[in-house]
Amino acid sequence: MLGNFPTGLKRPGCFVLLLIYWLSYGLAAAQAKDDQVSQILAAARSLVAQHKYAPAFQAAQKAERVTAKLLKQNDPRRAASLILLADTMRATGQILQAEPVYKQAIQALKSLGKNYEEQLLEAFSKLGLLYMDAGYEYRAGTILRKARYWAEKLYGSDNPKLAVAYDRWAEVQLARLDFTRADESVLAALKIRRKHFRQDHPARIRSSIDLAIVRLFRPSSNMLGYFKPAPKVSKDFLDEALGFLDKDPRRDPVQYFRAVSAIGDYYRVIGDHEESFKHKQHALRLLHALYGPRHPKFAEGLIALADVKVKLKQVGEAARNYEDALKILRDCLYDGHPVVKTAMTKLRYLYRDAGEKEKAAAWASRIEKLPELHYADFKLAYATTRDWNEKKKAYHRLGKTNELSYGTATVQADANALFERIDRYVESRGVIDKSTEPLSYAKNFKLLKMAPDGVGQVGTLIQEATRKSIRFPKQALLFVHGYNVTHEQAVKRAAQIAYDLEFDGALLLFSWNSAGSHVWYMGDRGRAEAAAKPLVKFLDTLSITVPRIKIHIIAHSMGNRVLSRAVEKLAKRSARARMPNLGEIIMAHSDIDLDWCRKMGKAKRFSRGVTNYVNASDWALWVSSTIRMGEGRCGRVAQSYPGLETIDTTGMGGRTDETVLGLDTQNHHGVFVNDPVLFGDMYRLLSGGRRPVHERTPEFRPVPSSGSEPYWAFEKQINLAGETPK
């Protein structure tokens, strides 16, 4: 055994020394890694504590990159770095982009168990506050209400940490103008803090300012039964708070700003607009120092200052302040945000009262076009072989099959889709990793706009979407629909998939010219095969237009006929030829024969991997097999294929919004968009490409197969079949 080693190393003592050296080196390297992570996190937290948010964001980005590289996914410092990154994103005005980061941190903390319940509660509460900033009052209220009850259960009824939960709940009530409940929450927090802190403690000062703000606007009754605000009470609380804060404003600049701004509101309420103007100017300077000139909070400060200028008859300056605020808000938020709508409405009335009717009418028209608050709009780009009908502003069901055109579409998820997902998420039933509840209906998605565009517009949309992406940076998702699907249905289905996957990269659609009718099945087969060449052209165009964007593909049913022929064409190219930058390829309920299924393994050469979801209960594929005199369909036969990872989803269900021959039926042809466990597997596959299958999704277990490798099956179905996976 020692014959291959030098003579001097054959002595047992040398091996002991080598072992000790190796262990010492490993421990030293691990300690150096831990020290590096701790130093980077501490540096970022120090900048946050100093309210230097811009450099703190850069430091948090670096911390996230380092922890992602050096630490395992289940290391609590990974979650800490994600929360720190989301906090700094929120502080620098990246409100919408911070949401997926908070959710990723919450998922990481959930996987760590009950020992990290306190950190999980804090991350959960911060997500609620983020929704407050984003104007999603329903989401914020649902989350922060649950957080308050959770905090009371976790800490008890007399803990200062419960007071923080009351503070956050009071913010929701203030946003709803429910001053009575806000007053109750603030008083509950103050009662707890009076038992634990001195009068000059920052937490006590915060409660004093909160109570002053609520009492400034909360109506109180006089002897005659009339209701009016009680500003004098508020002034007393604010004077008390400023008495402590004026000694060292840098001690807590956020609360100092809140107190100065509230004093400005006090003077506005009592009609002293000159004094109110001075304090609102001071508050705006504090906001500039805290957040910079491009933050939504600075925009809100501009709006508050403009309100006072209106009272002082400074119409021109007020209009400029409102318009400057709108520019900032529309860069950071979305058009339907309540603050955006408020600023536009104030501009409209300002011009109306000034006698400028044309400008007032223009702003009124813009306000009418704003999306409703409880809707989410997102865009996708598509390539199609269908013909555009300019008169009807829609695509014909049939097309020329050899001509490719491009376009963009805007899809809206309505309130039902939003609220259903929020409720599932809040109750930990619908988080994509651990979802146990049905996903969204495709019918809850509305096609708002569709416009044929050149390939340049498509490239611009992709670059813009991937630039803003947090969860799937520099990635796109391409959906290829199946038989009996119109263009509008395909757009909505693609939107539903991206929405439930929380895919924030670029969303793409290849819409081939299906007839959109059950009776045209055989005709759709030929059209699907002919669409392979245009699909290859689309992929080649993307490889030139956006070469650095990795493209994942999901093909459903007969869409796999298009995809398999396209893969065959790509596989024939030489090694030196340009190839599309493909990521994961997902085949769902494939309506292709077994020989073509085997050929799909060739795609592994120029993609990250190929996954084949099959279901033996798929009624639509049974019909397809029957039409072909019993010929097996790839999406219905569970077996291993070279280069493919086959996953048998038989036994999985979920609700369906599909119809066959006009009748609602659980036909199992749409399991891939209806079953939450399967969707969770798709999410993990796209986000990390983790393999083998049973390691990323324990519900799937390996099953021995006649091939060299196993396939995987849904665990409950394995147990029903009496099989024992190895």
Side-chain angles (χ1 to χ4, degrees), residues 229-251:
K232 184 63 175 69
V233 178
S234 297
K235 184 68 162 54
D236 294 340
F237 281 114
L238 291 171
D239 286 342
E240 177 187 331
L242 282 171
F244 297 118
L245 291 169
D246 278 334
K247 295 175 183 177
D248 184 10
R250 291 176 297 180
R251 179 185 178 190

Side-chain angles (χ1 to χ4, degrees), residues 87-101:
D87 288 346
T88 55
M89 291 174 77
R90 181 183 169 215
T92 51
Q94 302 174 66
I95 307 298
L96 302 180
Q97 293 90 337
E99 179 195 15
V101 184

Side-chain angles (χ1 to χ4, degrees), residues 291-307:
Y291 301 110
R294 306 304 303 169
H295 195 283
K297 291 189 182 297
F298 182 76
E300 291 179 26
L302 280 172
I303 293 170
L305 183 63
D307 290 343

Side-chain angles (χ1 to χ4, degrees), residues 326 329-330 333-335 337-345 370:
L326 277 170
L329 291 169
R330 298 183 78 173
L333 302 173
Y334 56 96
D335 284 347
H337 193 283
V339 180
V340 174
K341 197 168 186 177
T342 298
M344 294 174 74
T345 304
L370 289 177

Side-chain angles (χ1 to χ4, degrees), residues 235 263-280 308 311-312:
K235 184 68 162 54
I263 287 284
D265 289 329
Y266 162 76
Y267 283 115
R268 182 164 60 87
V269 168
I270 66 173
D272 189 345
H273 301 303
E274 292 286 351
E275 199 65 30
S276 176
F277 177 73
K278 293 177 184 177
H279 283 85
K280 286 298 181 181
V308 181
K311 296 292 184 181
L312 294 172

Side-chain angles (χ1 to χ4, degrees), residues 440-585:
S440 302
Y441 280 126
K443 67 184 180 185
N444 288 341
F445 293 81
K446 179 182 179 182
L447 181 59
L448 293 184
K449 181 182 177 182
M450 188 159 54
D453 288 313
V455 69
Q457 284 293 104
V458 171
T460 301
L461 186 148
I462 295 172
Q463 290 172 341
E464 181 67 17
T466 53
R467 183 180 64 82
K468 294 179 179 179
S469 174
I470 299 296
R471 184 180 279 111
F472 293 92
K474 296 184 179 180
Q475 297 175 66
L477 179 63
L478 171 62
F479 177 60
V480 184
H481 65 81
Y483 139 79
N484 183 29
V485 176
T486 65
H487 181 75
E488 291 75 13
Q489 290 170 341
V491 168
K492 290 170 65 176
R493 179 63 83 191
Q496 179 214 357
I497 292 171
Y499 178 80
D500 276 327
L501 281 175
E502 297 184 12
F503 187 87
D504 61 350
L507 177 58
L508 308 173
L509 167 69
F510 180 74
S511 177
W512 57 278
N513 52 324
S514 165
S517 172
H518 290 287
V519 300
W520 284 96
Y521 177 80
M522 298 305 291
D524 268 6
R525 286 182 60 197
R527 284 183 284 271
E529 192 162 335
K533 187 176 179 180
L535 175 57
V536 172
K537 182 180 177 181
F538 183 35
L539 292 173
D540 286 339
T541 301
L542 292 174
S543 69
I544 297 170
T545 310
V546 283
R548 297 183 180 180
I549 305 302
K550 188 170 289 296
I551 301 165
H552 305 294
I553 300 177
I554 297 178
H556 177 233
S557 189
M558 197 178 283
N560 285 281
R561 191 176 184 86
V562 184
L563 179 62
S564 61
R565 273 59 175 180
V567 165
E568 180 75 3
K569 293 178 185 299
L570 291 172
K572 291 179 179 179
R573 292 183 177 178
S574 67
R576 295 183 179 181
R578 178 191 290 272
M579 297 294 282
N581 185 9
L582 299 183
E584 296 291 341
I585 295 178

Side-chain angles (χ1 to χ4, degrees), residues 49 53-55 63 83 123 162 240 265 282 389 455 458 486 499 524 550 561 587 604 616 622 639 650 664 666 688 725:
Y53 296 120
I83 293 172
L162 176 61
E240 177 187 331
D265 289 329
H282 186 194
N389 187 324
V455 69
V458 171
T486 65
Y499 178 80
D524 268 6
K550 188 170 289 296
R561 191 176 184 86
M587 304 163 60
K604 191 175 182 181
W622 176 83
Q639 67 180 51
T650 306
D664 292 328
Q666 189 71 28

